Amino acid sequence: MSVNSPDSAGQLDIVLVKAGRTKIRYPAELLSDDGVRLAVRAPWAGDGVRDFGFVRFEPGDVFTEYYWRDRWFAVKEVRDGTGELKGWYCDITRPATRSGAELVVEDLDLDLWVSADGTDVLRLDEDEFEESGLAASDPTAAAAAVGALDELEGLARAGGFDALLR
């Protein structure tokens, strides 16, 4: 399968890379791939519970994740084991690349959390982004990352991600 060929059904390994190293790899069900946007579904891939203070990710949670080949972010809809929406966790990344059954996404440290009711919109890890040195080493990528975070925050504050994800 070529990198930009549409496809649906099957499995993908999601590979999240940070600072040149694999941060996490996990299997996901491929829901759709139209050549630009991919959608996958996967259970919480972390070990045990991760409590951020504003949300807890835990065994039983299900993530429907959206990745783009032409955008600098990924949007992950998070639901608990009963199907109740917790919210959206957004990673600022370089555009996703797919090779066969592997989707590789490079994490650029910035994140956004949007609660299920849309009242909490939180920019996360801006300190990590500054410490990464990306602004000095790759100013074009750093500007794209900040622009992507601003775009997602704007969408979230204007009513959510419905148009983006449907």
Side-chain angles (χ1 to χ4, degrees):
M1 160 122 350
S2 79
V3 172
N4 291 317
S5 296
D7 188 23
S8 62
Q11 291 286 122
L12 281 181
D13 278 344
I14 308 301
V15 182
L16 185 62
V17 176
K18 188 170 182 177
R21 292 187 297 240
T22 298
K23 181 177 174 182
I24 190 170
R25 171 189 290 267
Y26 55 94
E29 174 191 2
L30 177 63
L31 301 175
S32 66
D33 179 357
D34 67 9
V36 176
R37 186 185 82 180
L38 298 96
V40 302
R41 183 169 296 127
W44 165 239
D47 293 328
V49 174
R50 181 136 185 228
D51 190 341
F52 291 95
F54 50 86
V55 67
R56 288 170 48 102
F57 295 158
E58 50 202 337
D61 286 352
V62 177
F63 288 65
T64 302
E65 305 175 1
Y66 300 88
Y67 298 93
W68 286 263
R69 292 180 174 96
D70 63 351
R71 294 182 183 236
W72 288 70
F73 54 75
V75 177
K76 301 170 182 183
E77 180 185 273
V78 185
R79 294 183 179 271
D80 70 15
T82 69
E84 185 174 337
L85 180 64
K86 289 185 172 186
W88 296 267
Y89 194 90
C90 307
D91 286 318
I92 303 305
T93 67
R94 290 184 188 270
T97 58
R98 180 176 176 190
S99 179
E102 188 173 85
L103 183 70
V104 179
V105 183
E106 183 181 350
D107 185 351
L108 298 177
D109 294 309
L110 293 170
D111 301 295
L112 186 77
W113 169 255
V114 182
S115 62
D117 64 5
T119 58
D120 290 329
V121 179
L122 307 173
R123 292 171 74 109
L124 307 170
D125 303 327
E126 290 177 299
D127 55 339
E128 288 181 30
F129 179 73
E130 286 297 319
E131 292 168 9
S132 76
L134 188 64
S137 65
D138 190 344
T140 302
V146 171
L149 182 62
D150 291 343
E151 178 184 356
L152 286 172
E153 181 181 15
L155 288 170
R157 293 191 186 282
F161 301 127
D162 284 346
L164 183 65
L165 303 182
R166 307 299 172 228

